[in-house]
CSV table of all heavy atoms in Angstrom, one decimal:
chain,number,residue,atom,x,y,z
N,155,PRO,N,1.9,4.9,0.9
N,155,PRO,CA,1.6,5.9,2.0
N,155,PRO,C,0.8,7.1,1.4
N,155,PRO,O,1.0,7.4,0.2
N,155,PRO,CB,2.9,6.3,2.4
N,155,PRO,CG,3.8,5.1,2.3
N,155,PRO,CD,3.4,4.6,1.0
N,156,ALA,N,0.0,7.7,2.2
N,156,ALA,CA,-1.0,8.8,1.7
N,156,ALA,C,-0.2,9.9,1.0
N,156,ALA,O,-0.6,10.5,0.2
N,156,ALA,CB,-1.8,9.3,2.9
N,157,CYS,N,1.0,10.2,1.4
N,157,CYS,CA,1.7,11.4,1.0
N,157,CYS,C,2.4,11.0,-0.4
N,157,CYS,O,3.0,12.0,-1.0
N,157,CYS,CB,2.8,11.8,2.1
N,157,CYS,SG,2.0,12.7,3.4
N,158,LEU,N,2.5,9.8,-0.7
N,158,LEU,CA,3.2,9.4,-2.0
N,158,LEU,C,2.2,9.3,-3.1
N,158,LEU,O,1.1,8.8,-2.9
N,158,LEU,CB,3.8,8.0,-1.8
N,158,LEU,CG,5.2,8.0,-1.0
N,158,LEU,CD1,5.7,6.6,-0.7
N,158,LEU,CD2,6.3,8.9,-1.5
N,159,SER,N,2.7,9.8,-4.3
N,159,SER,CA,1.9,9.6,-5.5
N,159,SER,C,2.2,8.2,-6.1
N,159,SER,O,3.1,7.6,-5.7
N,159,SER,CB,2.1,10.8,-6.6
N,159,SER,OG,3.5,10.6,-6.9
N,160,ASP,N,1.5,7.9,-7.1
N,160,ASP,CA,1.7,6.5,-7.8
N,160,ASP,C,3.1,6.3,-8.3
N,160,ASP,O,3.6,5.2,-8.5
N,160,ASP,CB,0.7,6.3,-8.8
N,160,ASP,CG,-0.7,6.1,-8.4
N,160,ASP,OD1,-0.9,5.8,-7.1
N,160,ASP,OD2,-1.7,6.3,-9.0
N,161,ASP,N,3.8,7.5,-8.7
N,161,ASP,CA,5.1,7.4,-9.3
N,161,ASP,C,6.2,7.6,-8.1
N,161,ASP,O,7.3,7.9,-8.5
N,161,ASP,CB,5.3,8.4,-10.4
N,161,ASP,CG,5.2,9.8,-10.0
N,161,ASP,OD1,4.8,10.1,-8.9
N,161,ASP,OD2,5.4,10.7,-10.9
N,162,TRP,N,5.8,7.5,-6.9
N,162,TRP,CA,6.6,7.6,-5.7
N,162,TRP,C,7.2,9.1,-5.6
N,162,TRP,O,8.3,9.3,-5.0
N,162,TRP,CB,7.8,6.6,-5.8
N,162,TRP,CG,7.3,5.3,-5.7
N,162,TRP,CD1,7.0,4.4,-6.8
N,162,TRP,CD2,7.0,4.5,-4.6
N,162,TRP,NE1,6.4,3.2,-6.4
N,162,TRP,CE2,6.5,3.3,-5.0
N,162,TRP,CE3,7.0,4.7,-3.1
N,162,TRP,CZ2,6.1,2.3,-4.1
N,162,TRP,CZ3,6.7,3.8,-2.4
N,162,TRP,CH2,6.3,2.5,-2.8
N,163,THR,N,6.5,10.0,-6.1
N,163,THR,CA,6.8,11.5,-5.8
N,163,THR,C,6.2,11.8,-4.5
N,163,THR,O,5.0,11.7,-4.4
N,163,THR,CB,6.4,12.4,-7.0
N,163,THR,OG1,7.1,12.1,-8.2
N,163,THR,CG2,6.7,13.9,-6.6
N,164,LEU,N,6.9,12.2,-3.5
N,164,LEU,CA,6.4,12.5,-2.2
N,164,LEU,C,5.5,13.7,-2.2
N,164,LEU,O,4.3,13.6,-1.7
N,164,LEU,CB,7.5,12.7,-1.2
N,164,LEU,CG,7.0,12.9,0.3
N,164,LEU,CD1,6.4,11.5,0.8
N,164,LEU,CD2,8.3,13.2,1.2
N,165,CYS,N,5.9,14.9,-2.7
N,165,CYS,CA,5.2,16.0,-2.7
N,165,CYS,C,5.3,16.8,-4.0
N,165,CYS,O,6.2,17.5,-4.3
N,165,CYS,CB,5.6,17.0,-1.6
N,165,CYS,SG,5.5,16.4,0.1
N,166,PRO,N,4.4,16.5,-4.9
N,166,PRO,CA,4.4,17.1,-6.2
N,166,PRO,C,4.5,18.6,-6.3
N,166,PRO,O,5.3,19.1,-7.2
N,166,PRO,CB,3.1,16.7,-6.9
N,166,PRO,CG,2.7,15.4,-6.2
N,166,PRO,CD,3.1,15.6,-4.8
N,167,GLU,N,4.0,19.2,-5.3
N,167,GLU,CA,4.2,20.7,-5.2
N,167,GLU,C,5.5,21.2,-4.6
N,167,GLU,O,5.8,22.5,-4.7
N,167,GLU,CB,2.9,21.3,-4.4
N,167,GLU,CG,3.0,21.0,-2.9
N,167,GLU,CD,2.5,19.6,-2.6
N,167,GLU,OE1,2.3,18.9,-3.4
N,167,GLU,OE2,2.4,19.3,-1.3
N,168,ARG,N,6.3,20.3,-4.1
N,168,ARG,CA,7.6,20.6,-3.5
N,168,ARG,C,8.7,19.8,-4.1
N,168,ARG,O,8.9,18.7,-3.7
N,168,ARG,CB,7.5,20.5,-1.9
N,168,ARG,CG,6.7,21.5,-1.3
N,168,ARG,CD,7.4,22.9,-1.2
N,168,ARG,NE,8.7,22.7,-0.6
N,168,ARG,CZ,9.0,22.9,0.7
N,168,ARG,NH1,8.0,23.1,1.6
N,168,ARG,NH2,10.2,22.9,1.1
N,169,GLU,N,9.3,20.3,-5.2
N,169,GLU,CA,10.3,19.5,-5.8
N,169,GLU,C,11.5,19.2,-4.9
N,169,GLU,O,12.0,18.2,-5.0
N,169,GLU,CB,10.8,20.4,-7.1
N,169,GLU,CG,11.8,19.5,-8.0
N,169,GLU,CD,12.2,20.3,-9.2
N,169,GLU,OE1,11.4,21.3,-9.5
N,169,GLU,OE2,13.1,20.0,-9.8
N,170,ASP,N,11.8,20.1,-4.0
N,170,ASP,CA,13.0,20.0,-3.2
N,170,ASP,C,12.7,18.8,-2.2
N,170,ASP,O,13.6,18.0,-1.9
N,170,ASP,CB,13.4,21.2,-2.4
N,170,ASP,CG,12.1,21.7,-1.6
N,170,ASP,OD1,11.0,21.6,-1.9
N,170,ASP,OD2,12.4,22.6,-0.7
N,171,ILE,N,11.5,18.8,-1.6
N,171,ILE,CA,11.2,17.7,-0.7
N,171,ILE,C,11.2,16.4,-1.4
N,171,ILE,O,11.6,15.3,-0.8
N,171,ILE,CB,9.8,18.0,-0.1
N,171,ILE,CG1,10.0,19.3,0.9
N,171,ILE,CG2,9.3,16.8,0.7
N,171,ILE,CD1,10.8,19.0,2.1
N,172,SER,N,10.5,16.4,-2.5
N,172,SER,CA,10.6,15.1,-3.3
N,172,SER,C,11.9,14.6,-3.7
N,172,SER,O,12.1,13.4,-3.6
N,172,SER,CB,9.6,15.3,-4.6
N,172,SER,OG,8.3,15.6,-4.3
Side-chain angles (χ1 to χ4, degrees):
C157 285
L158 285 175
S159 66
D160 291 340
D161 64 352
W162 296 92
T163 298
L164 184 65
C165 298
E167 69 279 7
R168 287 289 302 273
E169 185 176 347
D170 58 337
I171 290 292
S172 295

